[in-house]
Amino acid sequence: MEDNLPNCRLKFISESIIELSTIPHQKQEQVKKSFTYTTHGKTIEILPGNLNSQDSLGLVTSRLMYFISPSTNLTKIEGGFIDYPKSLIYVREKDFSQNPDLTYVIDGKTYVQEISLPAKNGVVEKRPRKNKALQEKLKSIKEQPEKYTIEVVKGLEAYKRFGIKMVFGVIVITSQ
C-alpha cells in the first residue's frame, strides 16, 4: 500500500492454498508463489513452506521478503485483511473500481474528485467531471497556503481513520 511497499495480490486457491503474486509491470517479471495457510477464527496464518533459492530471490527482489519469515498472520476485517505487526492492509480488488476517486478532507468536510487513469496505450479515454465546490475550496487555499497543513494518509492509517474504501489515500488539509 505505501509507496515503498509493493502491490501484491493474494488469491485463495482452496481451503488451504493461497497464491501470492506481484502485480505485473512492463519492466519487472511477475512473481507467483503458492503457500499453505490455516485459519484460526478471524486470523489466517500463511506458512512459508519450502522455498528454493529462486523463490526466495524473487520474493526479496519484489520486496515481499516478509513472506520468507516463519509465518505471516493476517486478521480478517470487512473487505480485507490486516497484518498488524507489519502495518500492512490487504483489500479485495473486486471492491474497488478501476478508476478510484481522489478524496480530500478539508477542515473536516469530505470532497471527492473523479480521476481518470490512462488506458494501456497511454490515452485518457474519458475526462473526469470536475468537483466545482472542491475547485473553489482549493483555489482559496492556494491564495494563502501558509495557513494550512497538508497530510497524505494511506494504507493502514487511512483505514483506521477513514475506513476501507479510503486505503489508497486521502489528502487531509487543515487550516491552522
Side-chain angles (χ1 to χ4, degrees):
M1 300 284 351
E2 302 297 331
D3 289 339
N4 59 342
L5 295 172
N7 289 320
C8 66
R9 293 184 175 130
L10 294 175
K11 181 178 181 182
F12 291 85
I13 304 297
S14 71
E15 293 292 321
S16 63
I17 304 292
I18 192 167
E19 180 184 80
L20 166 74
S21 64
T22 56
I23 296 175
H25 293 291
Q26 298 165 341
K27 298 178 183 178
Q28 190 175 16
E29 187 176 326
Q30 185 178 26
V31 173
K32 275 189 180 184
K33 177 68 182 146
S34 293
F35 296 92
T36 303
Y37 76 93
T38 58
T39 304
H40 313 282
K42 288 191 170 212
T43 302
I44 66 167
E45 180 181 12
I46 302 173
L47 307 167
N50 297 325
L51 295 174
N52 61 37
S53 59
Q54 184 177 355
D55 290 336
S56 295
L57 181 61
L59 291 171
V60 169
T61 57
S62 299
R63 298 178 306 177
L64 297 170
M65 64 290 274
Y66 42 87
F67 284 97
I68 298 172
S69 67
S71 67
T72 299
N73 291 304
L74 304 178
T75 303
K76 186 173 176 41
I77 59 167
E78 182 71 32
F81 294 92
I82 296 177
D83 183 340
Y84 284 105
K86 296 175 187 81
S87 296
L88 298 174
I89 187 165
Y90 297 86
V91 295
R92 295 186 302 215
E93 186 175 15
K94 69 179 184 174
D95 291 344
F96 293 87
S97 71
Q98 290 297 88
N99 289 339
D101 296 328
L102 183 57
T103 303
Y104 291 80
V105 175
I106 303 174
D107 289 331
K109 184 172 180 188
T110 301
Y111 298 86
V112 177
Q113 175 61 59
E114 290 181 356
I115 62 171
S116 286
L117 298 176
K120 293 191 190 279
N121 62 4
V123 176
V124 175
E125 295 176 357
K126 177 186 164 204
R127 297 278 176 212
R129 290 183 306 216
K130 290 189 178 184
N131 181 329
K132 291 179 184 177
L134 172 62
Q135 298 302 318
E136 286 296 316
K137 192 69 174 168
L138 291 175
K139 185 178 176 183
S140 70
I141 291 169
K142 187 177 179 182
E143 292 170 2
Q144 295 181 314
E146 68 280 356
K147 292 187 176 186
Y148 296 89
T149 58
I150 299 174
E151 175 187 18
V152 177
V153 183
K154 299 187 288 184
L156 187 55
E157 185 61 28
Y159 166 73
K160 289 177 183 176
R161 289 174 59 181
F162 303 106
I164 193 75
K165 291 292 186 183
M166 302 300 168
V167 297
F168 291 108
V170 176
I171 300 169
V172 180
I173 303 173
T174 309
S175 57
Q176 299 179 7

